[in-house]
Amino acid sequence: MFGPQMNWALLFAAGILGGLTGSIAGLASVATYPALLLFGLPPVTANVTNTVALVFNGVGSVLGSRPELEGQGRWIRRTLPVAVLGGAAGAALLLSTPAEGFEKVVPILLGLASVAILLPRRVSADAQVASHLRHRTRALLEASAIFVICVYGGYFGAAAGVLLLALLLRAATASLAHANAGKNVILGVANSVAAVIFALLAPVHWWAVLVLGLGCLIGSRLGPIVVRHAPAGPLRVVIGAAGVALAVKLGVDAYGG
């Protein structure tokens, strides 16, 4: 369809777009995975290559989110083992099972998460007291939800960031920028674990990883800056609306046939 040089240029541009959208809203794979298919890779190779390339997205996102990560160290250290286990489980799932099951569930989960981002968040004093009294239960439920999201992130990952961002915004009192920073770390770790497994056991296209990854690194460094300075309300609407649109698209693909 395109000449070799144009293919590489499009892959690099897709990496920049994926890094930008991924570090803002967790939508990196929406840009990068189709680009790898257009590049000519078969679906499984495109999926594992995409996961490895998105390690660069995680690195850039975390570096760009350092101001918002201050004060989150304790929560991150507590959550990292969950992310590691989830990413490893997702990679194992991809290498051993077909994709049909997740393809039908993801549009529903993504639609609900996107609506959750759009809904206003009201926390009353009574709710704050109740959450304090049931802190252990809530922490366990949060960890379980993060584990499931990280499994999906290691398995395929399209819009896993939207799911996690919605969870962090609804389960905590963090601002959009702080929730986004935490999301970048947790999903970055889960994706990196899956990437190591794929690098050892799956057909990774390493030249595509290099070109796409460099684009992701550039784009992901810019994303947290956008979140830091953009008005939180309109940005939440944009993220939520993009998630709903993607949920509809994935739903049509999954159920239309």
Side-chain angles (χ1 to χ4, degrees):
M1 186 175 183
F2 300 107
Q5 291 182 336
M6 182 62 71
N7 277 334
W8 290 112
L10 288 174
L11 203 59
F12 181 69
I16 295 176
L17 178 61
L20 182 63
T21 57
S23 58
I24 293 175
L27 294 169
S29 292
V30 177
T32 56
Y33 180 68
L36 289 167
L37 294 177
L38 184 63
F39 186 70
L41 300 185
V44 172
T45 302
N47 195 2
V48 298
T49 299
N50 183 61
T51 297
V52 177
L54 289 183
V55 171
F56 290 85
N57 179 74
V59 172
S61 298
V62 172
L63 289 175
S65 300
R66 283 177 295 178
E68 288 77 23
L69 289 173
E70 292 183 7
Q72 297 197 58
R74 184 178 179 183
W75 175 81
I76 288 173
R77 286 191 295 271
R78 187 176 70 243
T79 310
L80 282 183
V82 177
V84 170
L85 292 174
L93 198 61
L94 175 67
L95 294 176
S96 60
T97 61
E100 286 78 5
F102 265 144
E103 286 178 353
K104 293 187 179 297
V105 175
V106 168
I108 299 172
L109 294 176
L110 177 57
L112 293 174
S114 301
V115 171
I117 289 177
L118 290 170
L119 291 175
R121 188 179 44 169
R122 289 188 289 269
V123 181
S124 65
D126 291 340
Q128 290 177 331
V129 172
S131 68
H132 176 70
L133 295 175
R134 294 196 293 266
H135 175 72
R136 289 184 180 275
T137 302
R138 290 190 59 172
L140 179 61
L141 291 174
E142 179 186 282
S144 300
I146 290 174
F147 174 76
V148 172
I149 293 171
C150 288
V151 170
Y152 170 60
Y155 181 85
F156 179 59
V162 175
L163 300 176
L164 185 54
L165 187 60
L167 173 67
L168 297 180
L169 286 173
R170 306 306 296 186
T173 57
S175 67
L176 176 61
H178 285 80
N180 186 65
K183 175 263 294 180
N184 288 339
V185 174
I186 298 306
L187 281 187
V189 169
N191 186 82
S192 296
V193 172
V196 170
I197 295 173
F198 293 152
L200 296 174
L201 301 176
V204 177
H205 191 298
W206 289 104
W207 282 111
V209 166
L210 179 61
V211 175
L212 189 66
L214 287 176
C216 284
L217 184 62
I218 295 171
S220 61
R221 283 292 277 118
L222 301 175
I225 299 174
V226 173
V227 176
R228 187 175 303 133
H229 296 289
L235 188 58
R236 282 174 70 126
V237 171
V238 170
I239 294 172
V244 170
L246 178 60
V248 172
K249 168 66 167 58
L250 294 176
V252 171
D253 290 344
Y255 295 97

